[in-house]
Amino acid sequence: MRRLASWLLDTGPVLVLAAIAGAGSFTHIRDTATDHGQTGWMSWAVAVCVDLTCVMAARERQRDKKTGRQRTGLVSWPTLVLAGGIVLSLAANLHQAEFTVWGWLTAATPAGAFLIAVSMLERRAAAPRTESSVPVLTVDAVPSSPSSAPALVPAVQDGQDGEPGPSPALVDYARRVADEHQAKHGKPITRDLLRARLGVSNQLASDLLRTLRTASEPA
């Protein structure tokens, strides 16, 4: 309910303005068509065609902006259509006015207000929306679960002349990470990816890769 009330307060006045101004412009166009021989339903059809052409052209201009469509000439086709609809609408409104400056201004007000309201609605529809969702981290960015990662502390292994090397738990975890990467991407994991996954130094990542490759070699 709160969101609906906010929407009504924000967009409602623009919609009311568009409806009232459109009705006024529609009436002037219909009366002008009737004065020039388009009687009956044809006068209504002319008024509908002019007003809806302006709305369609405005929406097409916004669609071109969203899709990045480039125009082929000086101006795009929707812009030409919109300009033609505006000229016809204003001409019909001025035709019904008194032959005074104030008569022209008051007669042109509905058409101008209608076009302004349509442009405001289209401008809001084209505004970027903020995403409130938290970005999803990929598998290659972080470990699958923090609890499954061993302590990333190198330990001294027996049987390697006392030289320090990766701990057995870290080697096992690195093997799981490498196997998952191989199964997902169909190629061995690189040192940089392994370093990013485990959060270790370049040297330790290189040692882990060397240990994994030595273990995988046939005896």
Side-chain angles (χ1 to χ4, degrees):
M1 292 296 297
R2 185 175 300 176
R3 180 177 298 181
L4 177 61
S6 177
W7 182 85
L8 289 175
L9 290 175
D10 186 43
T11 309
V14 183
L15 292 176
V16 173
L17 172 62
I20 295 175
S25 177
F26 179 91
T27 302
H28 283 163
I29 298 172
R30 184 201 60 192
D31 292 345
T32 300
T34 301
D35 293 343
H36 291 79
Q38 303 300 318
T39 59
W41 69 272
M42 280 300 300
S43 62
W44 290 75
V46 171
V48 170
C49 288
V50 173
D51 283 343
L52 285 188
T53 296
C54 294
V55 176
M56 292 172 59
R59 288 191 60 84
E60 195 65 22
R61 278 166 46 88
Q62 292 298 330
R63 187 176 291 108
D64 288 349
K65 292 180 181 180
K66 289 181 179 180
T67 58
R69 186 174 182 178
Q70 300 294 329
R71 61 173 182 262
T72 57
L74 295 178
V75 292
S76 64
W77 171 242
T79 301
L80 288 176
V81 173
L82 180 60
I86 292 173
V87 171
L88 286 175
S89 180
L90 287 176
N93 281 266
L94 293 177
H95 182 268
Q96 299 297 320
E98 294 182 356
F99 197 71
T100 61
V101 174
W102 279 111
W104 291 336
L105 289 176
T106 54
T109 297
F114 177 69
L115 294 173
I116 290 174
V118 171
S119 66
M120 286 183 178
L121 292 174
E122 290 302 316
R123 183 173 180 269
R124 295 184 181 188
R129 298 179 179 179
T130 57
E131 297 294 338
S132 59
S133 59
V134 179
V136 179
L137 298 177
T138 61
V139 176
D140 289 336
V142 295
S144 56
S145 61
S147 59
S148 63
L152 305 182
V153 180
V156 177
Q157 297 184 8
D158 297 334
Q160 293 188 357
D161 299 330
E163 295 181 359
S167 65
L170 182 56
V171 173
D172 291 340
Y173 181 67
R175 183 178 292 108
R176 293 198 303 270
V177 171
D179 291 343
E180 290 176 1
H181 182 87
Q182 178 74 32
K184 181 178 180 180
H185 300 284
K187 58 183 179 180
I189 193 170
T190 63
R191 185 200 65 176
D192 292 336
L193 287 177
L194 186 63
R195 176 184 59 81
R197 284 291 306 274
L198 303 182
V200 297
S201 64
N202 289 333
Q203 181 60 43
L204 185 51
S206 299
D207 293 342
L208 287 168
L209 275 181
R210 189 181 306 109
T211 302
L212 295 178
R213 290 170 183 171
T214 300
S216 62
E217 291 178 356

